[in-house]
Amino acid sequence: MKIVYASNSVIPSKAANSVHVMKMCNAFAKLGHDVTLISNGKKKLKESEITDVFAYYGIEQTFRIVEQGDVSFRNGGIIHGIKSTLAIMKKKPDLVYGRAVIPCTFAALCGIKTIFEAHSPLYDSSIITRFFYALLAKSKYFFQLVVISEALKKYYIGKQKS
């Protein structure tokens, strides 16, 4: 299966989210999938002295990384989302898995099966995030919501009932 992992993570970085997405992509690839990671290229947050990204994270080079430029300005998330979507469409994946709501939404709207991994309660986020999540949740290509805790599971189940 061809999988694109849509992320806002900066690679390489010391941030926990970058470790998580690298390990997830590696796990998908080790299961035999063709994996591409879409990352954010915020230069000021990157560990510039790192020359071998895969060695830095302690994994084999089992997947590709596509960096989407520096989008550190206000509302850069929408620009990153659009650029990521263009990269996703170019790859023609069977599945988009991600923790970046904007590219996941665009992927689902473009007819690609999408799994979104929530790390926070999106219904209580910015109006832009809520808008994109609402679009994603209504798409017939939104395959599954993955949450990282029992508390988030209860939160989303509660919101679906109301």
Side-chain angles (χ1 to χ4, degrees):
M1 179 182 289
K2 194 184 270 189
I3 300 173
V4 171
Y5 193 114
S7 169
N8 291 329
S9 298
V10 174
I11 307 291
S13 165
K14 292 179 182 171
N17 62 34
S18 72
V19 175
H20 177 258
V21 299
M22 291 292 285
K23 299 283 185 175
M24 287 288 292
C25 288
N26 187 50
F28 286 147
K30 283 187 168 188
L31 289 172
H33 301 292
D34 177 6
V35 180
T36 301
L37 168 62
I38 306 290
S39 70
N40 192 329
K42 288 183 182 177
K43 292 181 178 125
K44 67 182 180 183
L45 299 178
K46 288 177 87 167
E47 298 295 324
S48 58
E49 72 281 356
I50 305 302
T51 55
D52 184 343
V53 172
F54 294 93
Y56 177 72
Y57 290 99
I59 59 174
E60 297 173 38
Q61 187 171 347
T62 55
F63 58 93
R64 289 167 303 288
I65 301 172
V66 176
E67 190 176 277
Q68 293 306 312
D70 191 340
V71 289
S72 56
F73 54 89
R74 190 175 199 277
N75 293 325
I78 294 173
I79 302 299
H80 179 263
I82 292 167
K83 290 170 99 178
S84 295
T85 303
L86 294 174
I88 289 167
M89 298 309 291
K90 195 174 187 180
K91 295 289 179 188
K92 298 180 179 159
D94 301 305
L95 173 72
V96 169
Y97 185 101
R99 49 191 288 173
V101 71
I102 295 173
C104 285
T105 301
F106 283 140
L109 293 175
C110 290
I112 301 169
K113 187 185 288 187
T114 303
I115 298 173
F116 180 70
E117 182 176 299
H119 287 247
S120 63
L122 296 184
Y123 290 107
D124 299 332
S125 298
S126 73
I127 192 165
I128 293 170
T129 299
R130 289 193 317 263
F131 171 76
F132 278 100
Y133 182 71
L135 283 177
L136 175 63
K138 290 177 186 172
S139 172
K140 71 179 184 177
Y141 294 98
F142 179 43
F143 185 66
Q144 190 170 11
L145 173 67
V146 175
V147 294
I148 62 164
S149 70
E150 188 66 28
L152 272 178
K153 176 183 173 183
K154 289 177 183 175
Y155 169 85
Y156 280 99
I157 290 171
K159 289 295 184 180
Q160 288 175 345
K161 290 179 181 178
S162 51

